[in-house]
Each structure stands twice: as C-alpha cells, then as structure tokens.
Amino acid sequence: MSVAPDLARAAEAIARRHIALGAPLHLLDETTSTNDEAKRSAKEGALHGATWVAESQRAGRGRQGRAWMSARGESLLFSVVLRVPCAPARLPPLALVVGLAVRDAIAVALPSADVRIKWPNDVVVGERRLKIAGVLVEATLSGANVDAIVVGVGVNVHARAFPDEIAAHATSIALAGRGDADRAELLADILAALDRDVPIAAARGLASLHARLSTADALRGERVRSETSAGTAEGIDVDGRLLVRADDGALERWSSGEAHLVR
C-alpha cells in the first residue's frame, strides 16, 4: 500500500510555504507511531524540521499514554523534530503553542466553525467542544539540556464515524462540514505556524502569544473539574497554567493533569 493522493502532494504544499520544517519528509504507509519514528531518529541525529507522516499507526498515543484511535487514511498523523533552544521548564507550555498552530490550520479548513483550544493539549469544535485534534510534545535530553523537541499531531480529517467509547466526544473536519479537506495543505499550514511560533515561545515563553491563546481558549467561563478540584475556568496565564476559581473562591493554577468540562 502507499499514501493517498492528498498526502502524496505534501512535499509540494510544504515547499510553497518556504519554511524550515517538513524536510526531509518521510511518508509512511504504516508505523507504530510517528512520534516513535521521530524520537528514535532525533537520538540518531535527525536534523531540525525532519517530519514523519503516516496513513496508519499501530500504537498511536496521546498524553499520559492514552491510545490515539484512527482508521487508515482518515486522519492527519505526523511528528516533526525541532531543534531550537529551550529550557526544560518551557517544554510543557509548548503543547499550547502547538495546539494554537493546529487550531489556526483547522480554522482555515473550517472558516465558519468555532475552533478552539481545550487546555492542555486538545483542539475542539462547536458549542459541544467536540475533540477534532490532539497534540503530544516530547523531548530528548542531553543531561539537563533539551537536545530535541518532538511534536506529534493527530487531526481527525475524513472520519465519518468513531468507536463507541469516543463517539460522543469526537468529530472530524468532514463531519464539521468540509468533506474535501486536503491533508497536505493542512499539514503545510500547521508546519508553517510551528515554524513561526515555536522558536519564539521556546526562547521567551508565551507572552507574545498570550492574546491569541486567550481568544482561542475553549474553557474560559466553563465549569471544569480535575481529579482533585473543581471550579470555573478563568483563562490561561502566561506560564501556560489554567486559572480556575474554586468553589471556595480561591484562584487555583493548574499546571498539569486534565480539565474535564462539567455539563
């Protein structure tokens, strides 16, 4: 088997953006996960911008080791190696920067949809905040220094149905109204945004992107809960933490874990 025609055009779409990411480009029929490919290659010296795209993953994963389920040919599944100066403490907020890049690209494909970021690493659509994409940021370290950042992205593109366990919470670009979405163009748009924003955020933090993050925040004003607390989300701070007004009136700053919407 080989990749579908829309992915086969990826190199051409990336070249039109004149960016540093997306080369070399590895188009794979199947792999365990594109992040596995990228992490292994990063340890072997893969250059900044090297990118792996797969039609199918046997062991795709999201945060906290959760499985990323996707039927063959229905998603955009890719990982890219980034070699930019970054302190280890600035790694966690980069998931928001990547999420913003994915959000912006999906908004181009779905100009009439309400596309937002759900802290800490999801992209959601519509009033029901259905998940349309996820982000996984990992790193290879050399001692206490970040040697390479591996950004993994999964976007539901052509899917028309989902497994029962996620069907109530997931959607795709096709289900949101764009059945002819081109995965090559979507990939190129995401890589262009990463090329622009990640080096700045890695070097200086989220301050320069904070206004855009606030505008795209899916949780602001919503009631949320974690494993240990609950309250009303009041935004994302410049360190990438979710601000939550707890039921006792205290302002909490969630730096990790999950934020579940309470309906």
Side-chain angles (χ1 to χ4, degrees):
M1 293 184 180
S2 59
V3 299
D6 62 339
L7 280 187
R9 297 189 295 270
E12 178 185 346
I14 292 167
R16 291 198 303 271
R17 271 64 171 188
H18 303 288
I19 57 176
L21 306 185
L25 180 66
H26 306 274
L27 298 178
L28 309 175
D29 175 69
E30 184 179 84
T31 185
T32 53
S33 82
T34 57
N35 258 41
D36 288 345
E37 298 280 355
K39 286 179 70 177
R40 180 173 60 251
S41 297
K43 291 176 181 178
E44 294 172 353
L47 298 178
H48 175 75
T51 301
W52 287 259
V53 187
E55 281 284 20
S56 177
Q57 296 183 135
R58 297 187 301 276
R61 65 185 186 278
R63 287 182 73 248
Q64 300 179 338
R66 294 192 181 103
W68 176 273
M69 293 176 282
S70 173
R72 177 181 177 79
E74 292 188 345
S75 298
L76 172 62
L77 308 168
F78 77 92
S79 298
V80 56
V81 172
L82 305 176
R83 294 193 184 275
V84 296
C86 182
R90 286 198 170 135
L91 284 171
L94 286 185
L96 292 168
V97 179
V98 178
L100 187 61
V102 176
R103 178 263 161 213
D104 290 350
I106 293 173
V108 170
L110 294 170
S112 61
D114 182 18
V115 188
R116 294 178 179 265
I117 298 170
K118 178 179 175 290
W119 186 94
N121 70 319
D122 289 339
V123 180
V124 296
V125 175
E127 291 185 2
R128 294 175 59 200
R129 303 296 191 242
L130 299 179
K131 182 173 178 177
I132 198 169
V135 167
L136 179 64
V137 177
E138 299 181 298
T140 63
L141 302 177
S142 177
N145 300 314
V146 176
D147 180 55
I149 302 165
V150 174
V151 168
V153 174
V155 183
N156 299 327
V157 182
H158 299 311
R160 299 283 182 173
F162 293 93
D164 291 343
E165 55 266 41
I166 63 171
H169 308 288
T171 191
S172 68
I173 292 176
L175 289 174
R178 182 74 184 276
D180 63 344
D182 188 308
R183 289 181 294 170
E185 297 297 327
L186 187 65
L187 170 64
D189 283 344
I190 296 172
L191 290 176
L194 294 177
D195 190 48
R196 179 191 65 222
D197 291 339
V198 169
I200 296 172
R204 306 177 192 170
L206 297 179
S208 64
L209 303 174
H210 191 254
R212 289 169 56 203
L213 286 171
S214 296
T215 299
D217 183 1
L219 296 182
R220 182 186 287 271
E222 300 281 358
R223 183 162 179 79
V224 296
R225 64 172 176 82
S226 69
E227 297 301 318
T228 59
S229 186
T232 300
E234 294 191 354
I236 300 168
D237 70 12
V238 293
D239 294 316
R241 298 172 297 186
L242 184 67
L243 303 176
V244 179
R245 186 68 63 180
D247 293 339
D248 63 4
L251 184 64
E252 300 179 351
R253 291 170 171 83
W254 296 2
S255 59
S256 61
E258 298 290 327
H260 303 282
L261 274 167
V262 179
R263 299 297 191 185

